[in-house]
Amino acid sequence: MIQRYRASAGIMLTPAVTLIGIFILLPMMLTVWLSFQDWSTQTPFSSASFVGLDNFREIFGASSVGRDFKGALTNTAIYTALSVILILPLSVAFGLMVYQHDVAGGTALRTVLFSTYMVPMIAVALAWSKLYSPSEGPLNQMLGLIGIGPQPFLSSPRSALVSIVLLNVWQQVGYFTVLAIAGLTQIPGSLYEAAKLDGANRFEQFRFITLPLMRRTLLFSAVIAIINAVQVFEPVALITQGGPVGSTNVLTYHIRRVGIERAQGGLGSAMAVMLMLSLIVVVCALFALANRKDQE
Amino acid sequence: MSFAWTSKLALAAGLAILPATAWAQSVNISYLTHWSPETVALLEAAAKDYAKANPDVSVTVRAVPFGDLLTTLRSQGGNADGPTIGGIYDLWLPELARDKLVAPAPDAVASEVKASWPAGVTSAASVGGTLYGIPNEIDVYALNYNKALFKQAGIAAPPKTWDEFKDAAKKLTNKEAGQQGFGMINSWAAGVVHPFASLLVSNGGELVKDGTPVLDSQQAAQTFQLYEDLIKSGASVPAMATADANTTGPFLDNFVSGKTGMIIMANWWESALKTGMGDKFADIATAPIPVGPSGDKPHSISYSWMTVVNANAGAAEQKAAWEFLAWLNNPKSGKNGASAMSDILMSMGILPSRLSDIEAHKEKLGSEFLSGYVSVLADAKPFPVVPGGQEFSESLQQTLEALQYGQVSAKDAQATAQADATSILERAAK
């Protein structure tokens, strides 16, 4: 009986497992295999030659290849951290504002917030590159009205990456606000009523009810925000091309340059593997932290 | 001959012709370029003219931004459905040829090119003695300066030496008015490297000699030092330097709005300058690159573009592509003895490289702006076309940008540039 059950389960799982194997596992394994090869992306896989850990040694070495990779890895980490640090609190704050039934215009605000997520990145990039323009940009003109001199924004290695982060936050925060609202709807109203009867003020209600009960939602939002941020490509390709001085050169853009433009498939694959490993470590650490909090 | 026999013969002839007709009608070739929509329209018009005499060949034109051109060629050129023809920068050719993405030119085309183009331009379109593309444009760098700003600053003539250049840059700088003396470029590899290389060769130096980088020379040290001096004196402001090859960004904005006194730029920016400046374009003049303390006379950097054919395209498509390109670059396809290609190039202010085209466009090439470029062409040194050239360019770009933003000293920048270039070119040569 059990054997028959196992056989039918196996038959039913086969199509899904096969598809996952072909379209997800195989490309991942291929990338890992290529990271140990010297291979030009313009030649067949059969022309790849095994070089052991040379590609990894090179991307962490002192040459320009290593410097550029480490710079791109750092930029990606900063971009991701800043994006998550800004997006999560803002999404909760906007979520709380929009979720209040007694606030007029809540639905309109929700629509406006979510609409930024629906704007194509090319339009966002065009608009923001003009907003940030050092000479005629509206942002500098507004700063000028309050006595602040023109800021270089995208033209300085100090501010270019942060400027790209702000663009990302502006576009993504609406989506994460919707997730926050979904989390808020899961919290029973009776808890707030009981807290009110016990004399808890608004801040205490937020601190001891809202925040703890939104932990799962926030964990999900954080994971999605990290994955989205790590994959950043379009604003860099469309506005800064990784500059100035490589200050906005993020890993996806750099891997494209190395792997496709320079056809250095082995090096590009090693970089992609490191990106994948970094992402796995960060997400696992986040889940481990959340589990520990749950156990506490 | 009876009617029955005549009918049979006609039917047989028809059947014999049928496969050829069917084959002939099916040749579609595509042309990948980075040109603007206005220029693409001119190329499409030329293709339409070609189709009048060759109804069996249809040419479609596809344009991508310059920054995506090499990626598109690399990602799509490996199969038969990729672009049949591509316009490429000569620096990319050695690696595209090594990876067998571009086809060698047929003998007839190669003979025509060798007979009708200058030897230097032909060699830039060749790898190991084999010609891979039909050269079209040639670009050269010169000093562009704003005559109105020069007059305001009391400068009578464009600088001829680096001392005069530094002095002019200082006089043209007005921090309160947000005006810089000399505009450098950042965020675009060729835009950063070519003006630097032009100053270097005008100081008697070179980027690469016999396949080996020579950025450790005294001439290079002086050029890195010049950059540091210009930045430290405030005569060049890196925040005003962001640019890209699509002729957008603060670098162009600042020059066209009179906030930059001098730039070192290639002739192909003429159309962007005209569009941005309107009547004030008359204020812009061209002069040779100022000569450095170790230089003998003005030199600058030149580079060329060419059209290549996808080596993975079908035989019929390749044949049709070479025939179309031969026609496009032929003196009979354009106006007054010029090729259709040269007419397209001249619409953008780009110098054609075919000898007969230079002759046919003599009058326009004598304009105040372009004549300055034509005059420096003879002493221009071609940008080194070596395997790994693009990576070398991008690496030098990073170092020069770090110097612009004060992250490294001139001495450190020189040492880094030489070490990086050596490692990149050695790896690429393997």
Side-chain angles (χ1 to χ4, degrees):
Chain A
M1 181 67 186
I2 291 171
Q3 271 186 339
R4 195 182 296 168
Y5 171 76
R6 279 183 180 159
S8 69
I11 289 166
M12 283 188 280
L13 283 172
T14 302
V17 170
T18 309
L19 287 174
I20 289 169
I22 291 172
F23 293 107
I24 296 174
L25 291 178
L26 196 65
M28 281 170 76
M29 285 162 63
L30 191 63
T31 306
V32 173
W33 178 74
L34 286 170
S35 70
F36 296 105
Q37 313 290 324
D38 180 17
W39 174 65
S40 162
T41 46
Q42 301 301 326
T43 54
F45 290 135
S46 57
S47 68
S49 59
F50 183 73
V51 290
L53 292 170
D54 278 5
N55 289 330
F56 292 93
R57 240 177 254 130
E58 184 125 27
I59 64 172
F60 284 106
S63 67
S64 61
V65 174
R67 264 198 333 272
D68 290 347
F69 169 72
K70 285 180 278 187
L73 189 64
T74 309
N75 288 341
T76 308
I78 294 170
Y79 178 90
T80 305
L82 283 177
S83 295
V84 175
I85 287 167
L86 289 171
I87 284 175
L88 289 193
L90 278 175
S91 66
V92 173
F94 285 136
L96 286 169
M97 280 166 63
V98 173
Y99 188 58
Q100 302 300 319
H101 297 292
D102 49 348
V103 174
T107 309
L109 184 59
R110 198 181 307 198
T111 310
V112 170
L113 278 171
F114 193 70
S115 64
T116 61
Y117 189 67
M118 295 188 292
V119 180
M121 182 45 88
I122 180 70
V124 176
L126 280 173
W128 278 79
S129 61
K130 282 292 162 204
L131 286 175
Y132 280 141
S133 171
S135 46
E136 298 112 19
L139 288 179
N140 266 332
Q141 286 176 356
M142 283 191 277
L143 289 174
L145 293 176
I146 53 169
I148 299 174
Q151 300 300 306
F153 295 116
L154 298 165
S155 301
S156 165
R158 286 186 188 167
S159 53
L161 189 64
V162 176
S163 304
I164 298 283
V165 169
L166 293 179
L167 179 158
N168 178 52
V169 170
W170 177 84
Q171 200 199 21
Q172 302 263 327
V173 77
Y175 171 72
F176 288 95
T177 301
V178 171
L179 292 183
I181 295 167
L184 288 168
T185 58
Q186 301 300 309
I187 303 172
S190 57
L191 290 177
Y192 291 106
E193 284 165 20
K196 272 182 202 166
L197 288 174
D198 288 342
N201 61 28
R202 286 266 176 135
F203 176 74
E204 285 165 335
Q205 288 173 35
F206 174 74
R207 167 77 181 80
F208 296 106
I209 299 173
T210 311
L211 216 49
L213 291 179
M214 278 190 75
R215 191 184 299 141
R216 288 277 157 198
T217 305
L218 288 176
L219 175 67
F220 176 74
S221 293
V223 171
I224 298 296
I226 288 170
I227 293 171
N228 282 355
V230 162
Q231 291 176 352
V232 58
F233 179 82
E234 296 103 322
V236 173
L238 294 167
I239 306 176
T240 62
Q241 293 89 46
V245 209
S247 59
T248 58
N249 189 29
V250 290
L251 264 181
T252 47
Y253 186 73
H254 189 61
I255 291 170
R256 173 252 201 192
R257 181 179 279 169
V258 172
I260 301 175
E261 221 174 271
R262 297 180 192 161
Q264 295 165 348
L267 280 175
S269 298
M271 291 175 188
V273 167
M274 288 316 303
L275 178 65
M276 191 167 69
L277 286 177
S278 309
L279 195 58
I280 289 170
V281 168
V282 171
V283 171
C284 286
L286 209 59
F287 274 108
L289 196 72
N291 282 339
R292 208 171 70 181
K293 286 270 180 196
D294 280 349
Q295 282 165 5
E296 280 171 12
Chain B
M1 196 182 286
S2 70
F3 177 74
W5 269 106
T6 310
S7 306
K8 281 173 188 169
L9 276 175
L11 185 63
L15 284 171
I17 291 166
L18 191 60
T21 313
W23 171 83
Q25 281 174 346
S26 68
V27 181
N28 297 308
I29 56 176
S30 56
Y31 190 127
L32 181 72
T33 177
H34 67 292
W35 288 339
S36 66
E38 297 79 28
T39 317
V40 165
L42 295 177
L43 180 58
E44 283 171 340
K48 212 178 260 180
D49 281 348
Y50 182 72
K52 283 176 194 164
N54 301 273
D56 50 333
V57 178
S58 98
V59 183
T60 51
V61 184
R62 187 182 154 207
V64 295
F66 170 76
D68 295 331
L69 186 59
L70 180 58
T71 310
T72 309
L73 281 166
R74 281 223 170 265
S75 57
Q76 298 179 7
N79 61 69
D81 297 327
T84 328
I85 298 169
I88 67 158
Y89 174 26
D90 57 12
L91 193 62
W92 303 339
L93 181 65
E95 283 162 85
L96 293 177
R98 179 199 64 193
D99 294 337
K100 297 186 172 51
L101 288 178
V102 292
D107 290 342
V109 173
S111 308
E112 168 84 1
V113 169
K114 280 170 190 165
S116 311
W117 269 264
V121 178
T122 309
S123 81
S126 311
V127 177
T130 305
L131 187 88
Y132 282 89
I134 300 185
N136 43 50
E137 69 175 85
I138 185 153
D139 297 278
V140 66
Y141 281 75
L143 185 81
N144 290 157
Y145 63 99
N146 188 317
K147 289 186 285 186
L149 294 183
F150 265 54
K151 200 176 171 187
Q152 274 174 25
I155 308 168
K160 289 190 169 64
T161 64
W162 281 13
D163 284 340
E164 288 178 19
F165 176 57
K166 281 197 271 189
D167 187 49
K170 197 177 165 189
K171 284 179 181 164
L172 289 162
T173 302
N174 182 346
K175 281 184 190 169
E176 283 171 11
Q179 189 177 306
Q180 63 174 347
F182 174 65
M184 291 182 188
I185 298 180
N186 64 51
S187 300
W188 161 35
V192 175
V193 173
H194 288 173
F196 172 84
S198 294
L199 286 164
L200 174 63
V201 294
S202 219
N203 190 35
E206 280 182 86
L207 288 171
V208 174
K209 195 174 183 182
D210 302 326
T212 309
V214 282
L215 284 163
D216 52 356
S217 65
Q218 190 209 346
Q219 292 91 333
Q222 289 167 333
T223 316
F224 280 106
Q225 192 58 52
L226 173 70
Y227 264 49
E228 190 173 37
D229 292 347
L230 288 166
I231 292 290
K232 279 192 172 167
S233 69
S236 200
V237 182
M240 297 172 78
T242 311
D244 66 34
N246 301 322
T247 61
T248 59
F251 172 75
L252 176 71
D253 296 345
N254 285 312
F255 189 64
V256 299
S257 60
K259 299 274 183 196
T260 301
M262 301 179 281
I263 57 172
I264 291 178
M265 237 306 145
N267 45 286
W268 64 266
W269 268 47
E270 185 193 31
S271 55
L273 293 179
K274 276 182 175 169
T275 308
M277 300 186 81
D279 292 343
K280 286 195 171 176
F281 177 70
D283 287 339
I284 303 304
T286 310
I289 304 287
V291 182
S294 303
D296 54 353
K297 61 176 181 173
H299 291 284
S300 62
I301 282 292
S302 69
Y303 63 91
S304 56
W305 279 71
M306 70 197 81
T307 36
V308 291
V309 172
N310 180 356
N312 297 296
E317 281 78 15
Q318 284 195 39
K319 184 172 177 287
W322 284 116
E323 283 170 3
F324 172 67
L325 288 176
W327 173 84
L328 190 66
N329 289 280
N330 188 287
K332 289 174 189 164
S333 59
K335 292 168 193 157
N336 306 321
S339 68
M341 174 59 92
S342 72
D343 287 342
I344 295 170
L345 296 174
M346 286 300 291
S347 76
M348 296 182 277
I350 293 176
L351 314 180
S353 55
R354 187 176 176 132
L355 295 167
S356 56
D357 285 335
I358 296 170
E359 188 59 32
H361 290 285
K362 211 172 182 177
E363 198 179 318
K364 201 180 171 195
L365 289 171
S367 73
E368 192 183 352
F369 185 81
L370 286 181
S371 61
Y373 285 99
V374 176
S375 68
V376 298
L377 201 52
D379 289 320
K381 298 196 172 183
F383 192 85
V385 177
V386 287
Q390 181 64 21
E391 189 180 349
F392 161 63
S393 242
E394 287 165 0
S395 166
L396 185 54
Q397 172 204 358
Q398 294 297 317
T399 308
L400 288 170
E401 287 185 6
L403 179 62
Q404 284 181 25
Y405 282 98
Q407 294 177 353
V408 291
S409 66
K411 205 174 169 189
D412 290 343
Q414 185 187 12
T416 306
Q418 174 67 11
D420 287 349
T422 305
S423 119
I424 290 165
L425 297 192
E426 273 178 9
R427 180 160 32 83
K430 277 178 192 170

